[in-house]
Amino acid sequence: MDTRTLCLGVLTERAMSGYEIKKHFEEAFRHFFAAGFGSIYPALAELAREGLVTVENVEQVNRPDKKVYRITPAGRGQLQQELMLADPVHRLRSEFLVLMYFSHLLPPEHVGRLIDRRISELEHGLSRDLDACDGGAGTPDAAPLTPGQRFTLGYGRMMVTAATSYLRRHKGTLLRELEAEPAASLPRAAE
Amino acid sequence: MDTRTLCLGVLTERAMSGYEIKKHFEEAFRHFFAAGFGSIYPALAELAREGLVTVENVEQVNRPDKKVYRITPAGRGQLQQELMLADPVHRLRSEFLVLMYFSHLLPPEHVGRLIDRRISELEHGLSRDLDACDGGAGTPDAAPLTPGQRFTLGYGRMMVTAATSYLRRHKGTLLRELEAEPAASLPRAAE
DNA sequence: CAAGACATGTAAGGGGTTACATGATTTC
DNA sequence: GAAATCATGTAACCCCTTACATGTCTTG
């Protein structure tokens, strides 16, 4: 499963240009599947070549022309097969946690700053979610969410909440433990 | 930050062979940073070329020879710099969540099975942790954990617990919602 | 007047995964 | 007798990330 599959997936919702797909990616599954233009545009070109999507050139006034992609029956078939056969890999790569793992090699103040920054990143992401996805009272006309969207959104929210509270609850302990120890192998790191 | 940095990092704990490093990776940060032999061996060779580690050939009886790597002062300097300057990226790529997002395109029974499998994966990983890392009463002589190791281990445990309970609590709702809807665009997927 | 939104692409490079290649010893 | 552990590496491939290239219109 790669960017191609995800493009096919979002095109089941409605026809879109590459640019719109990118925005959709950011709103819908930024948490668990990122993709930039550099993956999306080539993916769409490939899908078109294979007949899994069609392209329509749409001229616009006061802005650049765009290419609107539409999924074909063959595309739907391909998508369904890929979704059914995929063995779902779930992998995290966190340099933040690597830094925490090796925190005894860093100045404690720096570790504290890293944790604070991570907390604010998490909270910032969370508020973007709430804005973008189910603006409960703000946008009553937006398309209602599918069950899967509610499920993954809820999952993301819960994980963010859990991570934030863990970081807040354990930051102090970690810093105290780091200060108690002889600071491993740092000659003089910060000032 | 890449496999090279992580190798340098684990070598601050003690000298190791590539094979041992791989095992260490699996015990210590499988959750948030995976690496296979195909990344580790070339990384070690590169580090040796750059003088950041030394290599010692150790002959063994009844098993293949091994190369024991040791970090050099230059290696420690390099590591510290990389850790200090890194801007800590934290990214998840989950095909499981992609599948949940598009669950309206799948047969509900299949979605149920996917969730069950994910739960058992999570629980399996959790029990491996408990075994491997702080076998409280079982291995009293093992090296005591560093603060960072406790912190990241606790983080992993908490995330696994949170994810498991979310999946258990929301599985039923998702499946009920999926069955209530006309099954989107599936002609006849699983009889 | 600068920054950002709109819009599409290419090319190089980076890094990780997988498969291949080899081989002894131990355990089930 | 098969499978797992110990042990090291290479090569191909895949995919993503980043930078480059271009240009208009709107908003602050």
Short mmCIF file of all heavy atoms in Angstrom, two decimals, chain A residues 15-70:
data_model
loop_
_atom_site.label_atom_id
_atom_site.label_comp_id
_atom_site.label_asym_id
_atom_site.label_seq_id
_atom_site.Cartn_x
_atom_site.Cartn_y
_atom_site.Cartn_z
N ALA A 15 -14.37 13.46 -7.37
CA ALA A 15 -13.30 13.79 -8.30
C ALA A 15 -12.50 14.96 -7.75
O ALA A 15 -13.06 15.87 -7.15
CB ALA A 15 -13.89 14.16 -9.65
N MET A 16 -11.19 14.90 -7.94
CA MET A 16 -10.33 15.95 -7.39
C MET A 16 -9.10 16.14 -8.25
O MET A 16 -8.68 15.25 -8.98
CB MET A 16 -9.83 15.53 -6.00
CG MET A 16 -10.77 15.84 -4.87
SD MET A 16 -10.03 15.42 -3.29
CE MET A 16 -10.91 13.91 -2.94
N SER A 17 -8.49 17.32 -8.10
CA SER A 17 -7.18 17.57 -8.71
C SER A 17 -6.10 17.12 -7.74
O SER A 17 -6.37 16.89 -6.56
CB SER A 17 -7.03 19.06 -8.97
OG SER A 17 -6.96 19.76 -7.76
N GLY A 18 -4.89 17.03 -8.23
CA GLY A 18 -3.76 16.64 -7.39
C GLY A 18 -3.61 17.57 -6.19
O GLY A 18 -3.35 17.14 -5.07
N TYR A 19 -3.78 18.84 -6.46
CA TYR A 19 -3.66 19.86 -5.42
C TYR A 19 -4.70 19.64 -4.32
O TYR A 19 -4.41 19.70 -3.14
CB TYR A 19 -3.84 21.22 -6.07
CG TYR A 19 -3.43 22.38 -5.20
CD1 TYR A 19 -2.11 22.79 -5.13
CD2 TYR A 19 -4.39 23.06 -4.44
CE1 TYR A 19 -1.75 23.86 -4.33
CE2 TYR A 19 -4.02 24.13 -3.65
CZ TYR A 19 -2.71 24.53 -3.59
OH TYR A 19 -2.35 25.60 -2.80
N GLU A 20 -5.92 19.34 -4.74
CA GLU A 20 -6.99 19.10 -3.76
C GLU A 20 -6.73 17.82 -2.98
O GLU A 20 -7.02 17.75 -1.78
CB GLU A 20 -8.34 19.00 -4.48
CG GLU A 20 -8.87 20.32 -4.99
CD GLU A 20 -10.13 20.13 -5.82
OE1 GLU A 20 -10.08 19.44 -6.87
OE2 GLU A 20 -11.18 20.65 -5.42
N ILE A 21 -6.20 16.83 -3.66
CA ILE A 21 -5.90 15.57 -2.99
C ILE A 21 -4.89 15.80 -1.87
O ILE A 21 -5.05 15.29 -0.76
CB ILE A 21 -5.36 14.53 -4.00
CG1 ILE A 21 -6.51 14.04 -4.90
CG2 ILE A 21 -4.73 13.34 -3.28
CD1 ILE A 21 -6.07 13.09 -6.00
N LYS A 22 -3.90 16.60 -2.17
CA LYS A 22 -2.90 16.92 -1.15
C LYS A 22 -3.55 17.55 0.09
O LYS A 22 -3.26 17.16 1.23
CB LYS A 22 -1.86 17.87 -1.72
CG LYS A 22 -0.92 18.50 -0.71
CD LYS A 22 0.24 17.61 -0.37
CE LYS A 22 1.08 18.14 0.78
NZ LYS A 22 1.48 19.53 0.64
N LYS A 23 -4.45 18.48 -0.15
CA LYS A 23 -5.13 19.13 0.98
C LYS A 23 -5.97 18.12 1.75
O LYS A 23 -6.02 18.12 2.98
CB LYS A 23 -6.02 20.28 0.49
CG LYS A 23 -5.22 21.53 0.16
CD LYS A 23 -6.08 22.78 0.24
CE LYS A 23 -7.35 22.65 -0.60
NZ LYS A 23 -8.11 23.92 -0.63
N HIS A 24 -6.64 17.26 0.99
CA HIS A 24 -7.46 16.23 1.61
C HIS A 24 -6.61 15.31 2.48
O HIS A 24 -7.00 14.96 3.59
CB HIS A 24 -8.15 15.42 0.51
CG HIS A 24 -9.26 14.58 1.00
ND1 HIS A 24 -10.56 15.05 1.07
CD2 HIS A 24 -9.29 13.32 1.46
CE1 HIS A 24 -11.33 14.09 1.55
NE2 HIS A 24 -10.58 13.03 1.79
N PHE A 25 -5.45 14.94 1.96
CA PHE A 25 -4.52 14.12 2.73
C PHE A 25 -4.21 14.80 4.06
O PHE A 25 -4.20 14.16 5.11
CB PHE A 25 -3.19 13.97 1.96
CG PHE A 25 -3.11 12.74 1.11
CD1 PHE A 25 -4.08 12.45 0.17
CD2 PHE A 25 -2.04 11.87 1.24
CE1 PHE A 25 -3.99 11.31 -0.63
CE2 PHE A 25 -1.94 10.73 0.45
CZ PHE A 25 -2.92 10.45 -0.48
N GLU A 26 -3.97 16.08 4.00
CA GLU A 26 -3.58 16.78 5.21
C GLU A 26 -4.69 16.83 6.24
O GLU A 26 -4.46 16.66 7.43
CB GLU A 26 -3.10 18.19 4.88
CG GLU A 26 -1.59 18.24 4.78
CD GLU A 26 -1.10 19.35 3.90
OE1 GLU A 26 -1.78 20.38 3.78
OE2 GLU A 26 -0.02 19.19 3.30
N GLU A 27 -5.89 17.04 5.76
CA GLU A 27 -7.02 17.07 6.69
C GLU A 27 -7.34 15.70 7.24
O GLU A 27 -7.60 15.53 8.41
CB GLU A 27 -8.28 17.57 5.96
CG GLU A 27 -8.32 19.06 5.79
CD GLU A 27 -9.50 19.48 4.94
OE1 GLU A 27 -10.38 18.63 4.68
OE2 GLU A 27 -9.54 20.65 4.53
N ALA A 28 -7.35 14.72 6.34
CA ALA A 28 -7.93 13.43 6.70
C ALA A 28 -6.95 12.50 7.39
O ALA A 28 -7.27 11.92 8.42
CB ALA A 28 -8.50 12.75 5.46
N PHE A 29 -5.77 12.33 6.85
CA PHE A 29 -4.88 11.37 7.49
C PHE A 29 -3.44 11.79 7.64
O PHE A 29 -2.54 10.97 7.55
CB PHE A 29 -4.97 9.97 6.87
CG PHE A 29 -5.36 9.91 5.43
CD1 PHE A 29 -4.54 10.43 4.45
CD2 PHE A 29 -6.55 9.34 5.07
CE1 PHE A 29 -4.91 10.36 3.13
CE2 PHE A 29 -6.93 9.27 3.74
CZ PHE A 29 -6.11 9.77 2.77
N ARG A 30 -3.26 13.05 7.88
CA ARG A 30 -1.95 13.56 8.21
C ARG A 30 -1.31 12.76 9.37
O ARG A 30 -0.12 12.50 9.37
CB ARG A 30 -2.11 15.03 8.62
CG ARG A 30 -0.86 15.84 8.70
CD ARG A 30 -1.24 17.32 8.95
NE ARG A 30 -2.48 17.44 9.68
CZ ARG A 30 -2.61 17.46 10.99
NH1 ARG A 30 -1.55 17.37 11.76
NH2 ARG A 30 -3.80 17.59 11.55
N HIS A 31 -2.11 12.37 10.37
CA HIS A 31 -1.62 11.62 11.54
C HIS A 31 -0.95 10.32 11.21
O HIS A 31 -0.07 9.89 11.91
CB HIS A 31 -2.76 11.22 12.47
CG HIS A 31 -3.73 12.26 12.72
ND1 HIS A 31 -3.41 13.39 13.41
CD2 HIS A 31 -5.03 12.38 12.37
CE1 HIS A 31 -4.48 14.15 13.48
NE2 HIS A 31 -5.47 13.57 12.85
N PHE A 32 -1.47 9.64 10.20
CA PHE A 32 -1.01 8.27 10.01
C PHE A 32 -0.57 7.96 8.59
O PHE A 32 -0.19 6.83 8.29
CB PHE A 32 -2.06 7.27 10.48
CG PHE A 32 -3.42 7.44 9.86
CD1 PHE A 32 -3.73 6.80 8.67
CD2 PHE A 32 -4.38 8.23 10.46
CE1 PHE A 32 -5.00 6.95 8.10
CE2 PHE A 32 -5.63 8.39 9.91
CZ PHE A 32 -5.95 7.75 8.72
N PHE A 33 -0.59 8.97 7.71
CA PHE A 33 -0.09 8.72 6.36
C PHE A 33 0.17 10.04 5.66
O PHE A 33 -0.76 10.64 5.11
CB PHE A 33 -1.08 7.87 5.57
CG PHE A 33 -0.45 7.15 4.41
CD1 PHE A 33 -0.20 5.80 4.48
CD2 PHE A 33 -0.06 7.85 3.26
CE1 PHE A 33 0.41 5.13 3.43
CE2 PHE A 33 0.54 7.19 2.21
CZ PHE A 33 0.77 5.81 2.29
N ALA A 34 1.39 10.47 5.64
CA ALA A 34 1.74 11.74 5.00
C ALA A 34 2.14 11.51 3.55
O ALA A 34 2.63 10.45 3.21
CB ALA A 34 2.88 12.40 5.76
N ALA A 35 1.90 12.49 2.70
CA ALA A 35 2.37 12.42 1.32
C ALA A 35 2.47 13.83 0.75
O ALA A 35 1.59 14.66 0.96
CB ALA A 35 1.42 11.58 0.47
N GLY A 36 3.55 14.08 0.04
CA GLY A 36 3.77 15.39 -0.55
C GLY A 36 3.46 15.37 -2.04
O GLY A 36 3.16 14.32 -2.61
N PHE A 37 3.57 16.53 -2.69
CA PHE A 37 3.33 16.63 -4.12
C PHE A 37 4.25 15.68 -4.89
O PHE A 37 3.84 15.10 -5.89
CB PHE A 37 3.56 18.06 -4.60
CG PHE A 37 2.50 19.01 -4.16
CD1 PHE A 37 2.82 20.16 -3.46
CD2 PHE A 37 1.17 18.75 -4.44
CE1 PHE A 37 1.83 21.04 -3.05
CE2 PHE A 37 0.17 19.63 -4.03
CZ PHE A 37 0.51 20.78 -3.33
N GLY A 38 5.45 15.58 -4.40
CA GLY A 38 6.44 14.73 -5.07
C GLY A 38 6.05 13.27 -5.15
O GLY A 38 6.61 12.51 -5.94
N SER A 39 5.12 12.83 -4.30
CA SER A 39 4.60 11.46 -4.41
C SER A 39 3.27 11.44 -5.13
O SER A 39 2.97 10.50 -5.87
CB SER A 39 4.37 10.82 -3.03
OG SER A 39 5.33 11.20 -2.12
N ILE A 40 2.47 12.46 -4.90
CA ILE A 40 1.10 12.46 -5.40
C ILE A 40 1.03 12.63 -6.92
O ILE A 40 0.37 11.85 -7.61
CB ILE A 40 0.26 13.54 -4.70
CG1 ILE A 40 0.08 13.17 -3.22
CG2 ILE A 40 -1.09 13.70 -5.37
CD1 ILE A 40 -0.55 14.25 -2.37
N TYR A 41 1.73 13.64 -7.44
CA TYR A 41 1.66 13.87 -8.88
C TYR A 41 2.13 12.67 -9.71
O TYR A 41 1.43 12.23 -10.62
CB TYR A 41 2.40 15.15 -9.26
CG TYR A 41 1.65 16.42 -8.89
CD1 TYR A 41 2.26 17.42 -8.15
CD2 TYR A 41 0.34 16.60 -9.29
CE1 TYR A 41 1.58 18.59 -7.82
CE2 TYR A 41 -0.35 17.76 -8.96
CZ TYR A 41 0.28 18.75 -8.23
OH TYR A 41 -0.40 19.90 -7.91
N PRO A 42 3.28 12.12 -9.39
CA PRO A 42 3.69 10.94 -10.16
C PRO A 42 2.72 9.76 -9.99
O PRO A 42 2.48 9.02 -10.94
CB PRO A 42 5.06 10.58 -9.57
CG PRO A 42 5.56 11.87 -8.99
CD PRO A 42 4.35 12.57 -8.48
N ALA A 43 2.16 9.61 -8.80
CA ALA A 43 1.21 8.52 -8.56
C ALA A 43 -0.01 8.67 -9.47
O ALA A 43 -0.46 7.70 -10.08
CB ALA A 43 0.78 8.51 -7.09
N LEU A 44 -0.53 9.89 -9.57
CA LEU A 44 -1.71 10.14 -10.40
C LEU A 44 -1.40 9.88 -11.87
O LEU A 44 -2.22 9.30 -12.60
CB LEU A 44 -2.21 11.57 -10.20
CG LEU A 44 -2.86 11.85 -8.85
CD1 LEU A 44 -3.07 13.34 -8.65
CD2 LEU A 44 -4.18 11.09 -8.72
N ALA A 45 -0.23 10.30 -12.31
CA ALA A 45 0.15 10.09 -13.70
C ALA A 45 0.19 8.59 -14.01
O ALA A 45 -0.29 8.15 -15.06
CB ALA A 45 1.52 10.72 -13.96
N GLU A 46 0.71 7.84 -13.07
CA GLU A 46 0.81 6.39 -13.24
C GLU A 46 -0.58 5.75 -13.29
O GLU A 46 -0.86 4.91 -14.15
CB GLU A 46 1.57 5.83 -12.03
CG GLU A 46 2.54 4.72 -12.34
CD GLU A 46 3.21 4.26 -11.06
OE1 GLU A 46 4.05 5.01 -10.51
OE2 GLU A 46 2.88 3.17 -10.60
N LEU A 47 -1.44 6.17 -12.37
CA LEU A 47 -2.80 5.63 -12.33
C LEU A 47 -3.53 5.92 -13.64
O LEU A 47 -4.27 5.07 -14.14
CB LEU A 47 -3.59 6.24 -11.16
CG LEU A 47 -3.14 5.82 -9.76
CD1 LEU A 47 -3.82 6.68 -8.70
CD2 LEU A 47 -3.46 4.34 -9.51
N ALA A 48 -3.30 7.10 -14.20
CA ALA A 48 -3.94 7.47 -15.45
C ALA A 48 -3.43 6.57 -16.58
O ALA A 48 -4.20 6.08 -17.41
CB ALA A 48 -3.69 8.94 -15.76
N ARG A 49 -2.11 6.36 -16.59
CA ARG A 49 -1.51 5.52 -17.61
C ARG A 49 -2.10 4.11 -17.57
O ARG A 49 -2.31 3.47 -18.60
CB ARG A 49 0.01 5.44 -17.40
CG ARG A 49 0.82 6.01 -18.54
CD ARG A 49 2.31 5.93 -18.25
NE ARG A 49 2.72 6.88 -17.21
CZ ARG A 49 3.46 6.58 -16.14
NH1 ARG A 49 3.87 5.34 -15.94
NH2 ARG A 49 3.79 7.52 -15.29
N GLU A 50 -2.41 3.64 -16.37
CA GLU A 50 -2.93 2.28 -16.20
C GLU A 50 -4.45 2.21 -16.36
O GLU A 50 -5.04 1.14 -16.18
CB GLU A 50 -2.53 1.73 -14.83
CG GLU A 50 -1.02 1.56 -14.70
CD GLU A 50 -0.60 1.26 -13.26
OE1 GLU A 50 -1.45 0.78 -12.48
OE2 GLU A 50 0.56 1.52 -12.93
N GLY A 51 -5.08 3.35 -16.60
CA GLY A 51 -6.52 3.35 -16.79
C GLY A 51 -7.33 3.20 -15.51
O GLY A 51 -8.51 2.89 -15.54
N LEU A 52 -6.69 3.45 -14.38
CA LEU A 52 -7.41 3.32 -13.11
C LEU A 52 -8.11 4.62 -12.73
O LEU A 52 -9.01 4.63 -11.89
CB LEU A 52 -6.45 2.87 -12.00
CG LEU A 52 -5.72 1.56 -12.32
CD1 LEU A 52 -4.70 1.23 -11.24
CD2 LEU A 52 -6.72 0.41 -12.45
N VAL A 53 -7.68 5.71 -13.35
CA VAL A 53 -8.37 6.99 -13.21
C VAL A 53 -8.41 7.66 -14.59
O VAL A 53 -7.62 7.32 -15.47
CB VAL A 53 -7.65 7.95 -12.23
CG1 VAL A 53 -7.56 7.36 -10.84
CG2 VAL A 53 -6.26 8.32 -12.73
N THR A 54 -9.35 8.60 -14.75
CA THR A 54 -9.37 9.41 -15.97
C THR A 54 -8.96 10.83 -15.60
O THR A 54 -9.09 11.22 -14.45
CB THR A 54 -10.76 9.45 -16.61
OG1 THR A 54 -11.68 9.99 -15.63
CG2 THR A 54 -11.23 8.07 -17.01
N VAL A 55 -8.49 11.57 -16.58
CA VAL A 55 -8.08 12.95 -16.34
C VAL A 55 -8.91 13.87 -17.19
O VAL A 55 -9.15 13.58 -18.36
CB VAL A 55 -6.61 13.18 -16.75
CG1 VAL A 55 -6.05 14.40 -16.03
CG2 VAL A 55 -5.77 11.96 -16.50
N GLU A 56 -9.33 14.97 -16.61
CA GLU A 56 -10.02 15.99 -17.40
C GLU A 56 -9.33 17.32 -17.15
O GLU A 56 -9.13 17.72 -16.00
CB GLU A 56 -11.49 16.06 -16.95
CG GLU A 56 -12.32 17.01 -17.77
CD GLU A 56 -13.62 17.38 -17.05
OE1 GLU A 56 -13.88 16.82 -15.97
OE2 GLU A 56 -14.34 18.24 -17.56
N ASN A 57 -8.97 17.99 -18.24
CA ASN A 57 -8.33 19.30 -18.12
C ASN A 57 -9.40 20.35 -17.92
O ASN A 57 -10.29 20.50 -18.75
CB ASN A 57 -7.53 19.60 -19.39
CG ASN A 57 -6.06 19.70 -19.09
OD1 ASN A 57 -5.68 20.29 -18.07
ND2 ASN A 57 -5.24 19.14 -19.95
N VAL A 58 -9.32 21.08 -16.83
CA VAL A 58 -10.32 22.10 -16.56
C VAL A 58 -9.66 23.47 -16.58
O VAL A 58 -8.76 23.75 -15.78
CB VAL A 58 -10.99 21.85 -15.19
CG1 VAL A 58 -11.96 22.98 -14.86
CG2 VAL A 58 -11.71 20.52 -15.19
N GLU A 59 -10.11 24.32 -17.49
CA GLU A 59 -9.58 25.68 -17.54
C GLU A 59 -10.29 26.53 -16.52
O GLU A 59 -11.48 26.38 -16.29
CB GLU A 59 -9.76 26.24 -18.95
CG GLU A 59 -8.78 25.64 -19.95
CD GLU A 59 -9.04 26.10 -21.38
OE1 GLU A 59 -9.42 27.28 -21.55
OE2 GLU A 59 -8.91 25.28 -22.31
N GLN A 60 -9.52 27.42 -15.91
CA GLN A 60 -10.11 28.26 -14.87
C GLN A 60 -9.79 29.72 -15.15
O GLN A 60 -8.81 30.04 -15.80
CB GLN A 60 -9.55 27.87 -13.51
CG GLN A 60 -9.92 26.45 -13.09
CD GLN A 60 -9.48 26.15 -11.68
OE1 GLN A 60 -10.29 25.92 -10.81
NE2 GLN A 60 -8.19 26.20 -11.45
N VAL A 61 -10.62 30.58 -14.61
CA VAL A 61 -10.33 32.01 -14.75
C VAL A 61 -9.60 32.49 -13.51
O VAL A 61 -9.89 32.05 -12.40
CB VAL A 61 -11.62 32.85 -14.92
CG1 VAL A 61 -12.16 32.66 -16.33
CG2 VAL A 61 -12.66 32.46 -13.88
N ASN A 62 -8.63 33.34 -13.74
CA ASN A 62 -7.89 33.94 -12.63
C ASN A 62 -7.10 32.96 -11.77
O ASN A 62 -6.72 33.27 -10.66
CB ASN A 62 -8.82 34.74 -11.73
CG ASN A 62 -9.16 36.08 -12.37
OD1 ASN A 62 -8.59 36.42 -13.42
ND2 ASN A 62 -10.06 36.81 -11.77
N ARG A 63 -6.94 31.77 -12.24
CA ARG A 63 -6.03 30.81 -11.58
C ARG A 63 -5.62 29.75 -12.58
O ARG A 63 -6.25 29.59 -13.62
CB ARG A 63 -6.66 30.21 -10.33
CG ARG A 63 -8.06 29.64 -10.49
CD ARG A 63 -8.48 28.91 -9.23
NE ARG A 63 -8.19 29.66 -8.02
CZ ARG A 63 -8.99 30.57 -7.47
NH1 ARG A 63 -10.14 30.84 -8.06
NH2 ARG A 63 -8.66 31.21 -6.38
N PRO A 64 -4.52 29.05 -12.26
CA PRO A 64 -3.99 28.08 -13.24
C PRO A 64 -5.02 27.00 -13.58
O PRO A 64 -5.89 26.68 -12.76
CB PRO A 64 -2.79 27.46 -12.51
CG PRO A 64 -2.46 28.41 -11.41
CD PRO A 64 -3.71 29.09 -11.04
N ASP A 65 -4.88 26.44 -14.77
CA ASP A 65 -5.72 25.31 -15.14
C ASP A 65 -5.47 24.17 -14.17
O ASP A 65 -4.44 24.11 -13.51
CB ASP A 65 -5.35 24.81 -16.54
CG ASP A 65 -5.64 25.87 -17.59
OD1 ASP A 65 -6.19 26.93 -17.23
OD2 ASP A 65 -5.32 25.64 -18.78
N LYS A 66 -6.41 23.24 -14.09
CA LYS A 66 -6.17 22.07 -13.25
C LYS A 66 -6.60 20.80 -13.96
O LYS A 66 -7.33 20.84 -14.95
CB LYS A 66 -6.89 22.21 -11.91
CG LYS A 66 -8.39 22.26 -11.99
CD LYS A 66 -8.96 22.35 -10.58
CE LYS A 66 -10.48 22.49 -10.64
NZ LYS A 66 -11.05 22.57 -9.27
N LYS A 67 -6.13 19.69 -13.43
CA LYS A 67 -6.48 18.38 -13.97
C LYS A 67 -7.33 17.66 -12.95
O LYS A 67 -6.87 17.37 -11.84
CB LYS A 67 -5.22 17.56 -14.23
CG LYS A 67 -4.34 18.11 -15.33
CD LYS A 67 -3.17 17.19 -15.57
CE LYS A 67 -2.31 17.70 -16.73
NZ LYS A 67 -1.16 16.81 -16.95
N VAL A 68 -8.55 17.37 -13.34
CA VAL A 68 -9.45 16.71 -12.40
C VAL A 68 -9.43 15.21 -12.67
O VAL A 68 -9.65 14.76 -13.79
CB VAL A 68 -10.88 17.26 -12.51
CG1 VAL A 68 -11.84 16.43 -11.68
CG2 VAL A 68 -10.91 18.72 -12.08
N TYR A 69 -9.13 14.46 -11.62
CA TYR A 69 -9.04 13.00 -11.72
C TYR A 69 -10.31 12.35 -11.21
O TYR A 69 -10.89 12.78 -10.22
CB TYR A 69 -7.84 12.50 -10.92
CG TYR A 69 -6.51 12.94 -11.50
CD1 TYR A 69 -5.93 14.16 -11.12
CD2 TYR A 69 -5.86 12.17 -12.44
CE1 TYR A 69 -4.73 14.58 -11.67
CE2 TYR A 69 -4.65 12.57 -12.99
CZ TYR A 69 -4.10 13.78 -12.60
OH TYR A 69 -2.91 14.19 -13.15
N ARG A 70 -10.70 11.29 -11.89
CA ARG A 70 -11.91 10.54 -11.55
C ARG A 70 -11.56 9.06 -11.55
O ARG A 70 -10.86 8.59 -12.46
CB ARG A 70 -12.98 10.79 -12.61
CG ARG A 70 -14.28 11.36 -12.13
CD ARG A 70 -15.15 11.77 -13.32
NE ARG A 70 -14.72 13.05 -13.90
CZ ARG A 70 -15.13 14.24 -13.45
NH1 ARG A 70 -15.99 14.31 -12.44
NH2 ARG A 70 -14.70 15.36 -14.01
#
